[in-house]
């Protein structure tokens, strides 16, 4: 695998990045023969595009500069079209729960890969912490899939990610203040840390959005409640992960960083993708993002007197790789199942004070039954 070197090759000019409907909407993949990790790459990149689009809208709502707003509008149109191409690669016969299993496969194997390669121990701890929560979601949704659609989770996971308990979902409901974290320092943080933090934040944000826009589509009460329950934990994860980012980064600096996140992720996809049709898309979009980096770099130069090269290194390694992480996940479950966040640190359950805010919060939401427990119970009875 070749390192990510964003300044080495040329991007596609912006006016060549707008595409017609047929170029934008390509035939979907076949859900039973697609490689599980091709599917997860698509899910991740859809999340990256969709949530960077949101960020660029927020930026526009907070700036009165016509030059910046013009560039943001142009970038947004491209990001939006890229998102269509990626998300529309999913076939219509892939059910909501099947796609959900793939989302949790992303959460498990992406988070594990980022954690393994994360230079900052605190950020790594935050990744490990949420990793074994998403791993447990996969277990709960798998039970729902077996029960409602008589499906085999491995038709989606292909045996690459295991289906078994992590930190129990019912124990993951925390008071909002317990999801806050310390942030990295924009001046001293390793660039890989910045890439990791924003990649996972964007991915988790999309997971939240997917559950929140699809959980009501099932008529069964247990499905509706399980989606509501797990969606809220994804919101907790977004809160944790975004808190790791330095809020002192300027809007333009963050925009540049996010364009680098896109380019780095597309480059990682390109280097690891076995499907030739998807490879073409990753390569094309990689070249778009190189140009986005250049465009935002020019704005940064003009408004802040800094260049893209001041912020982005010549070469970044390692890349993001989707691959099985069974031993790693087992180990984290074994070592960290009893960790809980308190005062922005992670401590053993036994060290929590009696008035830990999340005790009261979890009692509030869990009174009256816990859907993630009920789904396992109902599935056991049905078997
Ligand atoms: Fe993009
Ligand atoms: Fe999550
Ligand atoms: Fe972009």
């Amino acid at each position: 695998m070749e390192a990510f070197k964003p300044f080495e090759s040329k991007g596609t000019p912006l006016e060549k990045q707008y595409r017609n409907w047929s170029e934008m909407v390509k035939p979907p993949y076949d859900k039973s023969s697609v490689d599980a990790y091709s599917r997860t790459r698509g899910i991740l990149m859809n999340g990256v595009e969709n949530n960077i689009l949101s960020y660029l809208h927020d930026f526009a709502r907070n700036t009165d500069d016509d030059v910046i707003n013009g560039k943001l509008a142009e970038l947004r149109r491209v990001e939006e079209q890229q998102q269509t191409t990626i998300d529309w690669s999913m076939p219509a016969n892939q059910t909501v729960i099947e796609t959900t299993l793939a989302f949790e496969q992303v959460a498990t194997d992406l988070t594990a890969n980022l954690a393994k390669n994360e230079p900052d121990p605190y950020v790594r701890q935050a990744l490990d912490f949420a990793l074994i929560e998403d791993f447990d979601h996969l277990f709960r949704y798998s039970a729902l899939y077996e029960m409602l659609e008589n499906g085999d989770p491995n038709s989606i996971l292909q045996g690459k990610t295991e289906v078994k308990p992590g930190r129990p979902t019912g124990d993951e409901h925390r008071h909002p203040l317990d999801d806050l974290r310390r942030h990295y320092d924009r001046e001293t943080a390793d660039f890989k840390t910045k890439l990791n933090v924003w990649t996972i934040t964007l991915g988790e944000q999309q997971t939240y959005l997917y559950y929140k826009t699809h959980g009501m589509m099932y008529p069964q009460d247990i499905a509706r409640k399980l989606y509501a329950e797990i969606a809220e934990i994804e919101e907790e994860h977004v809160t944790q992960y975004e808190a790791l980012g330095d809020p002192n980064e300027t809007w333009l600096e963050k925009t540049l960083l996010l364009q680098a996140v896109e380019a780095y992720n597309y480059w990682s996809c390109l280097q690891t993708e076995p499907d030739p049709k998807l490879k073409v898309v990753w390569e094309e979009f990689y070249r778009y993002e190189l140009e986005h980096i250049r465009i935002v770099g020019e704005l940064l130069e003009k408004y802040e007197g800094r260049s893209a090269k001041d912020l982005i290194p010549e070469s970044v390694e390692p890349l993001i790789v989707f691959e099985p992480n069974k031993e790693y996940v087992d180990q984290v479950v074994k070592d960290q199942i009893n960790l809980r966040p308190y005062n922005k640190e992670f401590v053993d359950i036994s060290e929590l004070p009696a008035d830990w805010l999340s005790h009261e919060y979890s009692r509030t939401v869990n009174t009256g039954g816990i859907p993630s427990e009920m789904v396992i119970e109902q599935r056991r009875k049905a078997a």
Side-chain angles (χ1 to χ4, degrees):
M1 259 178 280
E2 261 181 77
F4 170 58
K5 294 179 180 160
F7 302 110
E8 238 177 39
S9 36
K10 263 188 75 150
T12 307
L14 196 66
E15 63 279 8
K16 297 250 166 66
Q17 297 189 9
Y18 300 130
R19 293 166 300 134
N20 70 36
W21 309 117
S22 306
E23 292 166 323
M24 226 186 303
V25 180
K26 299 179 194 276
Y29 56 71
D30 172 56
K31 75 169 182 178
S32 45
S33 64
V34 71
D35 183 90
Y37 288 139
S38 296
R39 179 167 30 224
T40 59
R41 276 184 283 275
I43 284 176
L44 173 61
M45 294 320 298
N46 172 58
V48 167
E49 289 293 351
N50 199 33
N51 295 296
I52 286 180
L53 180 76
S54 297
Y55 174 85
L56 297 177
H57 275 298
D58 284 345
F59 188 175
R61 291 167 200 179
N62 285 279
T63 185
D64 197 18
D65 186 297
D66 281 347
V67 174
I68 292 179
N69 270 328
K71 286 294 174 207
L72 292 176
E74 290 180 328
L75 289 177
R76 280 200 304 273
R77 186 59 55 82
V78 176
E79 314 292 14
E80 175 266 312
Q81 292 194 354
Q82 289 175 302
Q83 191 263 341
T84 302
T85 300
I86 296 164
D87 207 30
W88 270 236
S89 71
M90 275 202 270
N93 68 351
Q94 189 168 284
T95 67
V96 171
I97 301 190
E98 287 173 336
T99 303
T100 298
L101 297 179
F103 263 93
E104 295 297 354
Q105 185 169 36
V106 174
T108 300
D109 287 322
L110 170 69
T111 311
N113 181 264
L114 299 181
K116 282 175 171 175
N117 298 308
E118 172 52 55
D120 178 328
Y122 183 75
V123 172
R124 178 179 178 153
Q125 176 61 80
L127 288 161
D128 283 340
F129 178 78
L131 163 64
I132 59 173
E133 301 198 330
D134 284 318
F135 185 61
D136 194 77
H137 303 167
L138 182 56
F139 170 64
R140 313 284 159 172
Y141 279 131
S142 291
L144 187 71
Y145 182 46
E146 289 164 345
M147 205 164 65
L148 294 192
E149 298 184 358
N150 199 23
D152 172 6
N154 276 317
S155 67
I156 297 296
L157 307 174
Q158 299 172 1
K160 291 171 169 155
T161 312
E162 289 189 283
V163 176
K164 54 188 193 187
R167 181 177 299 117
T169 298
D171 293 351
E172 298 170 8
H173 303 297
R174 288 176 290 273
H175 188 278
L177 294 181
D178 286 327
D179 290 315
L180 298 178
R181 302 288 177 263
R182 287 189 271 117
H183 64 76
Y184 65 67
D185 180 334
R186 67 197 270 238
E187 303 291 353
T188 56
D190 193 288
F191 196 68
K192 174 65 172 154
T193 295
K194 298 182 183 182
L195 293 172
N196 283 357
V197 164
W198 293 105
T199 298
I200 194 69
T201 303
L202 300 166
E204 294 286 319
Q205 197 163 349
Q206 192 61 27
T207 311
Y208 165 78
L209 290 173
Y210 187 79
Y211 298 167
K212 271 296 168 84
T213 46
H214 293 80
M216 76 296 284
M217 294 173 79
Y218 281 97
Q220 295 86 353
D221 188 61
I222 183 68
R224 295 162 64 84
K225 286 184 176 147
L226 185 65
Y227 273 93
E229 184 188 2
I230 295 182
E232 189 175 288
I233 297 159
E234 302 307 343
E235 161 60 17
E236 293 185 53
H237 289 172
V238 178
T239 297
Q240 155 173 289
Y241 286 130
E242 73 187 8
L244 296 170
D246 189 340
N248 301 301
E249 285 163 343
T250 66
W251 281 96
L252 272 177
E253 180 180 355
K254 187 75 86 7
T255 304
L256 181 71
L257 173 54
L258 292 176
Q259 297 305 329
V261 165
E262 295 191 276
Y264 168 70
N265 269 282
Y266 281 129
W267 181 252
S268 296
C269 290
L270 176 59
Q271 296 297 307
T272 50
E273 180 62 62
D275 182 326
K277 280 199 206 116
L278 293 170
K279 244 185 145 107
V280 169
V281 174
W282 304 142
E283 165 131 43
E284 192 178 13
F285 288 0
Y286 170 66
R287 298 203 176 274
Y288 290 9
E289 302 302 345
L290 290 183
E291 181 67 359
H292 296 182
I293 289 176
R294 198 193 61 75
I295 290 168
V296 179
E298 270 184 10
L299 292 174
L300 197 74
E301 195 104 47
K302 177 169 157 68
Y303 290 87
E304 299 185 13
R306 300 189 286 171
S307 84
K309 286 187 177 174
D310 293 336
L311 295 170
I312 305 174
E314 295 280 340
S315 174
V316 182
E317 271 180 312
L319 303 182
I320 292 173
V321 181
F322 277 102
E323 61 191 356
N325 293 284
K326 296 176 186 177
E327 294 78 25
Y328 184 81
V329 175
D330 278 348
Q331 195 61 45
V332 178
V333 171
K334 195 164 155 276
D335 296 343
Q336 304 197 18
I337 194 163
N338 287 328
L339 285 192
R340 297 291 182 273
Y342 176 59
N343 275 345
K344 301 187 179 178
E345 296 298 339
F346 297 90
V347 304
D348 189 84
I349 263 184
S350 60
E351 295 166 43
L352 294 169
D355 63 352
W356 185 50
L357 289 170
S358 294
H359 284 317
E360 177 66 24
Y361 183 80
S362 70
R363 266 194 297 274
T364 302
V365 291
N366 286 341
T367 302
I370 307 171
S372 57
E373 297 293 330
M374 288 169 351
V375 73
I376 301 299
E377 182 63 14
Q378 287 186 20
R379 155 93 179 77
R380 198 179 53 76
K381 279 191 192 145

